[in-house]
Amino acid sequence: MLRKASFFRSVQAKLIIVYMLLILIAMQLIGVYFVSAMKTSLTNNFTNDLKEQAELLSVLAGQNWSGSGEAAEDKAASLRTLVDNFSSMSSGEIQVLDVSGRVLITSLSTHADLVNSKNTQTVVSRALQGIDDNEEYIIDEDNLRKKVVAKPVFSGGKIVGAIYIVASMQGLYDTMQRINGIFISGVLIALGLTAVLGVILAHTVTQPIKEMTKRATAVAEGRFHVRMPVFGSDEIGQLGEAFNHMTSRLQGVLSLNEEEKEKLASILTNMSDGVIAADESGSVILVNRVASAMIGMRESDMIGRSITALLDLPEEDEELGAAGLRSIILGGSGGTPDSPGGLGAAGDLTIKATLSPIHRREGGTEVGVSGTIAVLQDITEQERLDTLRREFVANVSHELRTPLTTIKSYTEALEDGALDDRAVAGRFVGVIQNETERMIRLVTDLLQLSRMDSKETKLRRKKTDLYGMIDEAAERFTFPLRDKGISVSLKASPNLGAVSVDRDQIDQVLDNVISNAMKYTAEGGTVTLDAYRLEDGRRYAVAVADTGIGIPKEELGRIFERFYRVDKARSRGMGGTGLGLAIAREIVEAHGGEIAIESDYGQGTRVTFTLPAYSEGGGDK
C-alpha cells in the first residue's frame, strides 16, 4: 500500500496521469463534437430525403388527381402504383389523403384498416391548410422514434389532398450507436497507447532525475568523485553538466574551507596568546590551548560557560565587546585544570584581555554584534620586569645620590673654611675620596652588568686548574680575614682537575662571594672553601661557606636581585653596592653553570656554583 501511494506521488506517475488526462479530454471533446455533428448531419439528411420524397409524390399525385367514375378508378390505380413505387424506395409508411383528411391509400398492407379513416394529426391539418413545411418527431406505442412529414397536393390550383409519410429513425440511431461504439473503442485504444507512450516519456524524463537524486545524495555524503552521466545536449543534459560543474566547484570550495579551517586551528593552537570566542549571549564557543592553561580549566569544560564568569569581568562589562575594541588588565590566583574556574593556572598571573566584537553583516552592511573575541596575553613577566626596572632606576638613583650628597656636603664645608684646618680638611678629603671610589665601583659594576645583558662580554675560556684557582683566592683574602679574626679553611683536593673558564671572571665571582662571607662573619668565625666533581663527571661544584649572621628564609628568593640588600644600612656602611651576587650569577650562567645559596638566619650561609669540566678533545674554549 505504501509503495502504491509513493508511486502515485512520484513525478513519473504524475506525468503519465496528466498525459492520459490530456489525451482523454481531447478525445472527449473531439468525440462530442464529432458525434453531435454526425447526428445532426444524418438527421438532416434523413429529413430532407423524406421531404424530397413527399414533395415529389405530392407533385405526381396532383398530376393524377382528377376524374370521376372510371377516371376515378384509374386515378386510384395510378395513385396506388405511384405509392407502391415510392414505398419500395422507403421503409416508411406512405398515405394519400383527400381534402378532408381521409386516408385513400396506404403503403402498408398491415394498415389497410386505416383506409377511409380520417388522419387527424397536426401535420396533416397544416398540410391541408396549404402549409408546405410540416414535420415532427413521434414515438409510437413500441417506443420507436419516427419522423413524420406531410405535404399538400395541388391540382388545378386547389388543395385536393395531402401526402403523409411516416419513417422510422431506428436505423439512424442504430448507426449512431455503432459510431459511438467505434469512437469509444478508439478512445480506449488511444488511452492504452498513450499510457505506454506516457510510461516511456516519463521514464525518459524521470530517469535522469532519479540518477541526479542519487548523485546529489552521494555528494551530500561527501563522495565528490561521483559524476552525473550526460546522455545528450538537451535541457536535462545541460542540467547534468551544470550539476557536475557544481560538484567540482563545491568540492574545491569545501577543500579550501577545510584547509582554511585547519590553518585557523593550527594558528589558534600554536598562538602564544590565549583566544576565547563567545556568541551573542556571552557563551563560550571556542577556546585554544593557551587560554585553557591561563584560565585553569579543560577546553571542553569551558565551552558553553559564560565568558564574563571565566574572566572574572565586572558586572558593567556584561556587554563585553559591543562598545568596540578595548583592553582590560585582569589578575587571579592559581588553580588546577579540575578546578571549577578562575583566572590563573599556576601562581599569580597578570593578564591583559583585549575584547573585540564580531559584527554581523547583511549585504555588506553591519546590522549588529553576533559575538565577542577575547585575546588573552600573559603580561606577568612584563609587569615583573617593569617593576624591577622601576626599582633598579630608583636604587641607582639612591645609590648615586647618597655619595653625591656626601661629596657635596663636604665640599661645601671645605669652601666654608674647613680647608684652612689641615687636619679637618684631610679627613674631609678622605671621605670625598672614599665616596668617589664607591661611585666608581658602582658605575663599573653597572657597566659590567650592562655588557653582560647586551651579550657584549666575550668569554676567554682556557684550561684552568680548579684547586690552584681556589687556593689563590684564599691567599688573596688571608690578610683581610686575619685582620678581622676570621679563619679560612680549604677542603678541596689538590688533584681535582681542570675546568674550562674565563679565569678573570671566575676570580671576580670568588672575590664577590668571599668578600660577602667576610663582611657578614663576626670575629672568631670561619670561611670554608670547597670544590668537588659532580656525579655526571662533566661539571665541578665550588662552595663558599661561612659562620656569619645568615639570611632569613623569606629573603633568599631575592638575594640575587640587583641592589637587593638584607641589611641595607650595614651593607652600605661596608661599602657594598648590592650588585656583587647579581654579577656573580650573570658570570656563572654565562659559563653554563648554576649558582645557589643556602642559609639559616644566625647560622651562616653557603653559596655554591658549578663550572664546566675541561674536555681534552675540545681544547680551549
Side-chain angles (χ1 to χ4, degrees):
M1 183 65 70
L2 291 175
R3 293 184 63 184
K4 290 182 179 180
S6 61
F7 172 75
F8 284 107
R9 287 197 297 266
S10 65
V11 175
Q12 185 174 3
K14 292 177 181 178
L15 284 175
I16 295 172
I17 293 172
V18 170
Y19 192 42
M20 292 182 65
L21 287 176
L22 288 175
I23 296 299
L24 180 61
I25 292 172
M27 294 293 290
Q28 288 295 325
L29 291 176
I30 294 172
V32 169
Y33 175 77
F34 174 76
V35 171
S36 177
M38 181 64 71
K39 180 180 179 181
T40 302
S41 177
L42 291 176
T43 302
N44 290 336
N45 291 336
F46 184 81
T47 302
N48 291 334
D49 288 343
L50 288 180
K51 286 182 178 181
E52 289 176 359
Q53 290 180 16
E55 183 69 27
L56 180 59
L57 188 56
S58 67
V59 172
L60 294 175
Q63 293 176 356
N64 297 311
W65 196 281
S66 60
S68 60
E70 293 182 0
E73 293 179 1
D74 293 338
K75 177 187 74 171
S78 177
L79 290 175
R80 165 64 64 184
T81 301
L82 185 62
V83 169
D84 290 340
N85 290 332
F86 270 88
S87 64
S88 63
M89 297 184 296
S90 175
S91 59
E93 179 185 4
I94 302 174
Q95 294 180 1
V96 179
L97 309 175
D98 60 10
V99 71
S100 63
R102 184 170 56 85
V103 178
L104 299 177
I105 300 171
T106 179
S107 62
L108 293 179
S109 58
T110 56
H111 291 173
D113 55 339
L114 296 178
V115 176
N116 294 323
S117 64
K118 196 170 185 178
N119 191 332
T120 58
Q121 290 193 29
T122 304
V123 292
V124 173
S125 300
R126 288 170 56 85
L128 293 176
Q129 293 176 10
I131 301 174
D132 186 64
D133 190 10
N134 301 295
E135 60 178 273
E136 66 177 356
Y137 290 99
I138 63 173
I139 299 176
D140 62 6
E141 60 275 6
D142 296 329
N143 201 29
L144 295 176
R145 284 177 284 192
K146 295 181 178 181
K147 187 74 171 180
V148 177
V149 177
K151 288 288 185 179
V153 178
F154 294 92
S155 179
K158 296 180 180 179
I159 296 175
V160 294
I163 299 298
Y164 175 79
I165 300 176
V166 179
S168 175
M169 300 181 70
Q170 189 61 39
L172 184 146
Y173 282 98
D174 289 342
T175 301
M176 291 298 301
Q177 190 69 28
R178 288 194 300 272
I179 292 174
N180 285 335
I182 294 172
F183 180 76
I184 291 173
S185 299
V187 169
L188 294 177
I189 294 172
L191 287 177
L193 294 175
T194 301
V196 174
L197 293 175
V199 171
I200 297 174
L201 176 63
H203 180 77
T204 303
V205 174
T206 58
Q207 186 61 29
I209 296 177
K210 291 180 181 179
E211 292 295 328
M212 187 171 296
T213 302
K214 293 179 182 178
R215 269 59 175 188
T217 303
V219 170
E221 294 173 352
R223 290 180 283 144
F224 295 102
H225 64 278
V226 177
R227 288 293 182 267
M228 178 70 184
V230 179
F231 299 106
S233 58
D234 57 0
E235 289 80 358
I236 295 179
Q238 294 174 5
L239 180 60
E241 291 179 353
F243 179 84
N244 291 335
H245 179 66
M246 180 195 70
T247 302
S248 300
R249 290 292 303 276
L250 181 61
Q251 183 178 9
V253 170
L254 289 180
S255 299
L256 182 61
N257 186 43
E258 287 296 326
E259 183 179 349
E260 293 298 325
K261 187 177 179 181
E262 289 294 331
K263 289 180 181 179
L264 179 60
S266 178
I267 291 172
L268 289 176
T269 301
N270 296 288
M271 281 182 64
S272 59
D273 296 335
V275 177
I276 300 177
D279 58 18
E280 189 174 2
S281 62
S283 298
V284 175
I285 58 176
L286 177 67
V287 181
N288 72 344
R289 183 178 56 195
V290 178
S292 174
M294 288 182 181
I295 300 299
M297 292 180 64
R298 287 189 294 264
E299 296 178 25
S300 58
D301 295 336
M302 295 174 65
I303 300 298
R305 299 191 56 154
S306 171
I307 188 175
T308 306
L310 286 176
L311 298 181
D312 295 331
L313 296 176
E315 293 295 330
E316 57 268 19
D317 289 326
E318 193 71 26
E319 297 297 326
L320 298 175
L325 185 67
R326 59 199 180 100
S327 298
I328 302 174
I329 303 299
L330 306 172
S333 59
T336 65
D338 296 321
S339 62
L343 194 60
D348 293 337
L349 293 179
T350 301
I351 293 177
K352 178 182 179 182
T354 303
L355 304 177
S356 176
I358 303 174
H359 296 285
R360 182 188 297 111
R361 296 179 178 272
E362 291 182 4
T365 305
E366 293 182 8
V367 295
V369 176
S370 61
T372 304
I373 292 290
V375 178
L376 309 182
Q377 294 176 293
D378 185 357
I379 59 173
T380 306
E381 183 65 18
Q382 179 182 343
E383 288 292 315
R384 188 185 72 82
L385 292 176
D386 288 342
T387 301
L388 290 177
R389 189 178 298 109
R390 289 191 295 269
E391 291 180 356
F392 179 76
V393 172
N395 288 330
V396 170
S397 301
H398 181 72
E399 292 295 335
L400 290 176
R401 183 179 62 186
T402 300
L404 287 175
T405 301
T406 301
I407 292 173
K408 183 175 183 295
S409 300
Y410 279 86
T411 303
E412 290 177 349
L414 290 173
E415 289 180 350
D416 291 339
L419 186 60
D420 297 334
D421 188 341
R422 295 188 61 84
V424 174
R427 185 165 55 87
F428 282 8
V429 170
V431 171
I432 293 173
Q433 184 177 2
N434 290 336
E435 293 297 329
T436 302
E437 291 176 354
R438 179 181 170 188
M439 284 194 298
I440 292 173
R441 288 195 301 273
L442 176 61
V443 172
T444 301
D445 289 344
L446 289 174
L447 288 175
Q448 184 175 2
L449 283 173
S450 177
R451 285 194 297 269
M452 290 180 177
D453 290 339
S454 60
K455 308 300 181 182
E456 293 181 0
T457 302
K458 294 183 180 180
L459 298 179
R460 295 184 293 274
R461 293 175 182 262
K462 291 184 179 181
K463 179 180 179 181
T464 304
D465 179 65
L466 180 57
Y467 179 82
M469 182 173 63
I470 298 174
D471 184 58
E472 290 182 12
E475 288 292 336
R476 286 196 299 273
F477 283 88
T478 299
F479 290 108
L481 289 171
R482 186 180 301 169
D483 290 343
K484 289 193 63 177
I486 301 172
S487 61
V488 60
S489 173
L490 181 60
K491 291 185 176 182
S493 171
N495 299 320
L496 272 176
V499 290
S500 177
V501 296
D502 185 325
R503 175 65 182 269
D504 292 339
Q505 294 200 18
I506 298 302
D507 282 343
Q508 185 178 1
V509 172
L510 288 170
D511 290 349
N512 288 348
V513 175
I514 296 173
S515 176
N516 281 342
M518 183 181 65
K519 289 177 184 177
Y520 298 104
T521 300
E523 184 178 352
T526 303
V527 174
T528 303
L529 278 70
D530 191 8
Y532 51 90
R533 195 181 189 101
L534 296 178
E535 293 182 357
D536 59 13
R538 295 177 297 177
R539 293 180 301 163
Y540 285 93
V542 178
V544 178
D546 63 62
T547 58
I549 61 175
I551 302 172
K553 292 288 187 183
E554 61 273 13
E555 304 288 346
L556 287 176
R558 303 186 61 188
I559 199 66
F560 290 104
E561 292 182 7
R562 300 172 185 184
F563 293 110
Y564 186 78
R565 298 186 180 93
V566 177
D567 187 349
K568 297 179 175 57
R570 183 177 178 184
S571 297
R572 188 174 293 112
M574 294 179 179
T577 62
L579 298 175
L581 288 179
I583 293 174
R585 183 179 66 175
E586 295 289 343
I587 293 174
V588 171
E589 290 180 352
H591 281 78
E594 298 175 353
I595 186 169
I597 189 167
E598 303 173 35
S599 181
D600 287 323
Y601 188 68
Q603 297 182 11
T605 301
R606 178 183 177 89
V607 178
T608 305
F609 60 92
T610 60
L611 296 173
Y614 178 79
S615 174
E616 292 292 343
D620 295 343
K621 298 181 181 179

